Amino acid sequence: MYKFGRLASYLPMPGMESMLSDDLLLIRKHAFFADINEQEFEAMGLHHRYKEAAPNDFIYFDAHEHRNLYFLKDGFVKIGYINQHGQEVVKDIISPGDVFGQIMLEPNNLHGEFAQAFKSSVSICMFRVADFELLIRAKPNLALRYAKQMGEKLNRLENKMVNLLHSDVRRRVLYFLADLQRQGLKQPDGSVLIPVPITHADIASLIASTRQTVTALLGDLQKEGIIDFIKRKLVIKQPEELVVALEAI
């Protein structure tokens, strides 16, 4: 049976009483709001929507009639649901810069979906859908930016679904690693460090496999020198070889 964590209290981040310019610097660190000036920032009241959640806190849970949209600045967020057997099913791991919640801007049922701070605290900018609609009407450039970001997100989700339906487990693992690689940090030696602290069980849940199978396949890739684990962090040692291995299947 799934063990529930606590729901985030959504208290403002420490220092919210500080000067407007400090809040503006914080929110500008999210690429979506990078070009907002101080007058626009104050008019939109974005500093009132800047929140954080502690590790493993739920940002929302069993999201019926959920009406919020979230922009993730720092940390990682796990998106999933609890199936009829009481087991957690992970749908995605959201990384900084991504958007989650009511991404289609419709206050519809999210079918029991939850969002949870994944193994570390997270910082987010939260909007009610109605407020965000007012924002993008006032700033058409943000509407275009949002449309582009959603197009890229939906394309990635579509590719992920096709991969799950039509690929064997090895290809699913390789595709997942290639997707993680795009979010990673390139190192001086050409390798890519994956900052999200993801486990074999997490990967198994995300690609519809078992932990034992994923462990065996990751071990094979480690022997091939394509990946490694350094201080419990996944490193893509040979990004080009990962692409070659994926295309060879």
Side-chain angles (χ1 to χ4, degrees), residues 5-6 8 52-58 76 116-122:
R6 68 190 182 107
E52 75 170 7
N56 302 315
D57 277 4
F58 285 102
F76 298 89
Q116 183 181 23
F118 187 59
K119 301 183 180 180
S120 63
S121 60
V122 301

Side-chain angles (χ1 to χ4, degrees), residues 139-151:
K139 289 187 67 64
N141 63 315
L142 289 185
L144 290 172
R145 190 180 302 167
Y146 185 76
K148 180 180 179 181
Q149 185 168 356
M150 287 304 98

Side-chain angles (χ1 to χ4, degrees), residues 178-232:
D179 191 45
L180 273 184
Q181 181 177 295
R182 298 186 191 100
Q183 307 170 30
L185 305 173
K186 192 166 185 178
Q187 305 300 296
D189 63 358
S191 65
V192 178
L193 173 66
I194 308 304
V196 56
I198 198 163
T199 67
H200 295 187
D202 295 326
I203 296 174
S205 181
L206 285 161
I207 67 169
S209 184
T210 65
R211 183 183 60 79
Q212 293 85 350
T213 300
V214 167
T215 297
L217 288 169
L218 291 176
D220 291 343
L221 293 172
Q222 192 170 10
K223 290 176 184 176
E224 294 168 24
I226 295 176
I227 68 169
D228 201 359
F229 292 91
I230 300 176
K231 296 181 179 179
R232 298 188 177 182

Side-chain angles (χ1 to χ4, degrees), residues 83 140 156 211:
N83 66 19
R156 183 175 70 86
R211 183 183 60 79

Side-chain angles (χ1 to χ4, degrees), residues 169-188:
V169 180
R170 179 177 170 85
R171 180 175 174 82
R172 297 204 300 268
V173 168
L174 290 170
Y175 181 88
F176 177 79
L177 293 175
D179 191 45
L180 273 184
Q181 181 177 295
R182 298 186 191 100
Q183 307 170 30
L185 305 173
K186 192 166 185 178
Q187 305 300 296

Side-chain angles (χ1 to χ4, degrees), residues 24-248:
L24 179 56
L25 287 174
L26 283 171
I27 204 67
R28 273 184 174 169
K29 289 182 180 179
H30 194 293
F32 189 83
F33 302 102
D35 62 353
I36 290 178
N37 63 43
E38 188 164 333
Q39 290 73 28
E40 292 168 332
F41 177 82
E42 186 173 15
M44 288 185 288
L46 292 181
H47 52 296
H48 297 304
R49 298 182 175 93
Y50 199 72
K51 311 291 181 182
E52 75 170 7
N56 302 315
D57 277 4
F58 285 102
I59 298 161
Y60 56 81
F61 189 89
D62 197 14
H64 296 285
E65 300 300 322
H66 195 69
R67 298 175 183 272
N68 293 335
L69 180 69
Y70 306 87
F71 292 82
L72 181 60
K73 175 188 167 291
D74 290 318
F76 298 89
V77 171
K78 178 168 62 178
I79 306 295
Y81 64 93
I82 307 303
N83 66 19
Q84 59 185 350
H85 304 296
Q87 299 168 322
E88 178 184 282
V89 178
V90 181
K91 295 165 58 178
D92 203 2
I93 302 294
I94 302 298
S95 57
D98 209 343
V99 185
F100 63 101
Q102 287 291 7
I103 62 173
M104 304 308 294
L105 305 185
E106 290 289 339
N108 295 327
N109 191 340
L110 290 179
H111 306 292
E113 179 180 284
F114 69 77
Q116 183 181 23
F118 187 59
K119 301 183 180 180
S120 63
S121 60
V122 301
S123 301
I124 56 178
C125 184
M126 180 180 71
F127 285 91
R128 290 185 65 84
V129 168
D131 292 338
F132 186 74
E133 288 177 339
L134 291 175
L135 168 60
I136 58 178
R137 285 173 188 165
K139 289 187 67 64
N141 63 315
L142 289 185
L144 290 172
R145 190 180 302 167
Y146 185 76
K148 180 180 179 181
Q149 185 168 356
M150 287 304 98
E152 293 171 350
K153 183 180 182 73
L154 293 175
N155 183 60
R156 183 175 70 86
L157 292 175
E158 181 181 1
N159 290 339
K160 177 183 176 182
M161 183 61 65
V162 170
N163 184 61
L164 286 174
L165 291 173
H166 301 291
S167 302
D168 62 19
V169 180
R170 179 177 170 85
R171 180 175 174 82
R172 297 204 300 268
V173 168
L174 290 170
Y175 181 88
F176 177 79
L177 293 175
D179 191 45
L180 273 184
Q181 181 177 295
R182 298 186 191 100
Q183 307 170 30
L185 305 173
K186 192 166 185 178
Q187 305 300 296
D189 63 358
S191 65
V192 178
L193 173 66
I194 308 304
V196 56
I198 198 163
T199 67
H200 295 187
D202 295 326
I203 296 174
S205 181
L206 285 161
I207 67 169
S209 184
T210 65
R211 183 183 60 79
Q212 293 85 350
T213 300
V214 167
T215 297
L217 288 169
L218 291 176
D220 291 343
L221 293 172
Q222 192 170 10
K223 290 176 184 176
E224 294 168 24
I226 295 176
I227 68 169
D228 201 359
F229 292 91
I230 300 176
K231 296 181 179 179
R232 298 188 177 182
K233 292 288 182 68
L234 174 62
V235 178
I236 311 295
K237 294 186 67 177
Q238 299 186 58
E240 297 82 5
E241 291 301 316
L242 175 60
V243 174
V244 170
L246 183 57
E247 292 177 346

